[in-house]
Amino acid sequence: MKEDTRQPSRGPQLSEQVAQRLSDAIQAGEWGRGARLPTEAELGERFGISRSVVREAISMLRNGGLVTSRRGSGSFVAEAPTVSLRLAIPDPGLQSVVEVLELRRPLEVEAARLAAERHTPSQLRRIRNAMVDIDEAVEAGLSGVDQDLAFHRAIAEAANNTHFTAVLDFYNRFLHQAIRVTRTNESLRETFMQQVVAEHQAMLDAIAAGDADAAARAAAIHLEHAEMRLRQAPTDLLKSMLEQEEAQAGSPSASTEQTGDDSR
Amino acid sequence: MKEDTRQPSRGPQLSEQVAQRLSDAIQAGEWGRGARLPTEAELGERFGISRSVVREAISMLRNGGLVTSRRGSGSFVAEAPTVSLRLAIPDPGLQSVVEVLELRRPLEVEAARLAAERHTPSQLRRIRNAMVDIDEAVEAGLSGVDQDLAFHRAIAEAANNTHFTAVLDFYNRFLHQAIRVTRTNESLRETFMQQVVAEHQAMLDAIAAGDADAAARAAAIHLEHAEMRLRQAPTDLLKSMLEQEEAQAGSPSASTEQTGDDSR
DNA sequence: ATTTACCATCTTGTCTGACAAATTCAGTCG
DNA sequence: CGACTGAATTTGTCAGACAAGATGGTAAAT
């Protein structure tokens, strides 16, 4: 074909230029939704570049949600284009954690209210299981942070509104450290865990009973207390934990396991 | 050397797993902001993979705004690292708009509460100006949708918590269409606008007075009524308008720009 | 001694070739 | 006609090499 023999202009990023041109071509409708675009080899020849660059370019588009690739089959224009919310990762510190909590509180409260009204039996079961998992993890001497987050996520799911799970999931990663701090504070751990369990139980009961207002109240109390517990943890502990995490970062404990214990 | 000889578990996408692990490590603080991360060769050896996969993984992170690479120098954790939440553009329809509103209501209520407590004089002024702008726009025969959204955004800004503005900005685009629908409904427009103005005024007064609870109540009422107004609009009108907008919206990869107009 | 020019070295970007894994499709056999 | 087989196709991964740009140290010059 040789429809474009121009040397890609001496720019900063070759693969980026190619990605841009491919993106333009797709958005211009050269290949419709779900259509298969040329093979990597073919694109490489068309643009006069190696397959590596084509792959990098396609990788960018794939990351942008514009195309999907299936090994052995090809790369395709995405069926459902996506938009992305991009925002800066906050500084690790008490203030920024509090800001995240400020956002989460109204969301979780509303999620609990909706969950009380809309939860399906299986969703309620998952919430219950999550609570049990927390107990078991704590019993086993673990921090139970992942299980705690899973509990809250199960409630968000029971709200049956994808936006809640999406936003809360998004902010979960920032809370991971914060919750660990409160759990690791030895002197307070015992008392705190009792409070947490009681508050979780209250939320679960209200949701199970279908009492929306009570669920909202219980969630509000829990989130408020969570912030108090965090504030009560000495800030130097927070700081030292962050440094500690940095030091032990290479060890095998870091991988994040999805708690996929449920049968969907 | 050879600190991680585990075979990457048989997963669908190898490079994706590596990207996830790198992303986790960065967010766990293994490498601080602006720090140089190991060379591609070194990472390849550490994870037991080839440089190609490392490059693909880093490419993903770079595309996600988590790292930047400089040829000859290395790859670095971004100074202002960002994580991106991607979600599919919802089907145009009343149900999905209602879901967005469900998420926004608690957020806007809390934003109004915080704004009442924290607003600076200049922020209050911006809210006032936005209200005037709505009047002027409507007076001029325009829909005033942009001005309406600006009003709400000004309140979110006055909450002085970047996460509120980020999330609300993100969902604004989905609301743009919905508000237009209610405003375009000729038969109801007059009545609706009077209501909207009154409700806005109540919010502004409460915020200006520093009455957090009153601000929250006013916001809750406004959002509730907004949903009612939307439901009252004929659904066929909504549908046709949404489809029309979607047809002419040809920028799927457009990510939400960082709102850098804030002085922090 | 300080500054400047140079150069070895390192790191990412790109190229080339190969194989593995998964899919597709045509042909064959029941 | 339908199910299976196997070759061809295509993306994913691997390996090695060179090019382009950056870094830091050393020697030369003032």
Side-chain angles (χ1 to χ4, degrees), chain B residues 41-221:
Chain B
E42 198 172 336
L43 285 174
E45 185 167 355
R46 181 182 301 192
F47 288 110
I49 56 179
S50 75
R51 208 184 134 206
S52 315
V53 179
V54 175
R55 283 191 60 76
E56 286 243 7
I58 289 183
S59 169
M60 295 181 192
L61 302 188
R62 190 171 38 227
N63 209 286
L66 209 65
V67 309
T68 60
S69 299
R70 288 201 299 277
R71 158 190 258 172
S73 180
S75 291
F76 303 79
V77 178
E79 286 294 344
T82 64
V83 286
S84 52
L85 161 70
R86 265 183 30 204
L87 52 87
I89 297 176
D91 285 331
L94 178 62
Q95 181 52 35
S96 66
V97 173
V98 169
E99 284 190 355
V100 171
L101 282 180
E102 277 182 1
L103 182 86
R104 285 184 64 102
R105 189 178 44 194
L107 286 182
E108 297 228 33
V109 168
E110 186 71 10
R113 165 176 279 123
L114 293 175
E117 291 171 346
R118 302 179 179 171
H119 66 84
T120 68
S122 86
Q123 286 171 335
L124 185 60
R125 219 177 306 129
R126 291 179 73 170
I127 299 176
R128 277 214 173 86
N129 289 341
M131 247 195 73
V132 175
D133 289 345
I134 298 178
D135 275 345
E136 288 177 357
V138 171
E139 207 76 22
L142 303 175
S143 70
V145 175
D146 289 326
Q147 291 76 16
D148 196 315
L149 288 176
F151 173 78
H152 286 268
R153 192 184 196 289
I155 292 178
E157 277 180 15
N160 283 303
N161 181 331
T162 54
H163 304 305
F164 280 86
T165 55
V167 174
L168 289 174
D169 273 350
F170 179 66
Y171 281 102
N172 263 352
R173 62 180 79 192
F174 302 130
L175 229 54
H176 202 277
Q177 307 158 342
I179 300 183
R180 263 190 56 183
V181 169
T182 60
R183 295 286 164 81
T184 312
N185 197 339
E186 291 298 338
S187 60
L188 302 172
R189 175 169 173 160
E190 195 87 6
T191 323
F192 279 2
M193 278 312 299
Q194 287 180 0
Q195 290 178 9
V196 169
V197 169
E199 291 165 16
H200 281 177
Q201 187 68 51
M203 292 173 68
L204 173 58
D205 290 343
I207 291 173
D211 188 338
D213 286 333
R217 271 197 308 274
I221 290 174

Side-chain angles (χ1 to χ4, degrees), chain A residues 92-251:
Chain A
L94 180 62
Q95 180 53 33
S96 66
V97 173
V98 168
E99 283 191 355
V100 171
L101 282 180
E102 276 182 2
L103 181 88
R104 286 184 64 103
R105 190 178 42 194
L107 286 182
E108 298 229 32
V109 168
E110 187 72 9
R113 164 176 280 123
L114 294 175
E117 292 171 346
R118 300 178 180 172
H119 68 84
T120 68
S122 88
Q123 286 170 337
L124 185 62
R125 218 177 308 130
R126 290 181 75 169
I127 300 177
R128 278 214 172 86
N129 289 340
M131 248 195 73
V132 174
D133 288 345
I134 298 178
D135 276 343
E136 287 177 357
V138 172
E139 206 75 22
L142 301 175
S143 70
V145 174
D146 289 326
Q147 290 75 17
D148 195 316
L149 289 176
F151 173 79
H152 287 267
R153 192 185 197 289
I155 293 179
E157 277 180 16
N160 284 302
N161 181 330
T162 56
H163 303 305
F164 280 86
T165 57
V167 174
L168 288 174
D169 271 351
F170 181 67
Y171 281 102
N172 264 351
R173 53 186 101 190
F174 304 132
L175 282 185
H176 210 273
Q177 300 170 346
I179 300 183
R180 264 192 59 181
V181 168
T182 59
R183 294 286 164 83
T184 312
N185 197 340
E186 291 297 339
S187 59
L188 302 173
R189 174 168 174 160
E190 195 87 4
T191 322
F192 278 4
M193 279 311 300
Q194 287 181 1
Q195 291 178 9
V196 169
V197 168
E199 291 165 16
H200 281 176
Q201 186 68 51
M203 293 174 67
L204 173 57
D205 290 343
I207 292 173
D211 188 337
D213 287 332
R217 272 197 307 274
I221 289 174
H222 178 51
L223 271 288
E224 242 168 69
H225 288 187
E227 188 176 330
M228 280 175 46
R229 285 190 285 270
L230 181 66
R231 287 184 185 281
Q232 227 165 317
T235 54
D236 56 338
L237 175 62
L238 176 68
K239 210 163 203 169
S240 70
M241 281 202 60
L242 293 178
E243 285 162 6
Q244 178 189 346
E245 290 227 359
E246 194 175 359
Q248 75 178 30
S251 63

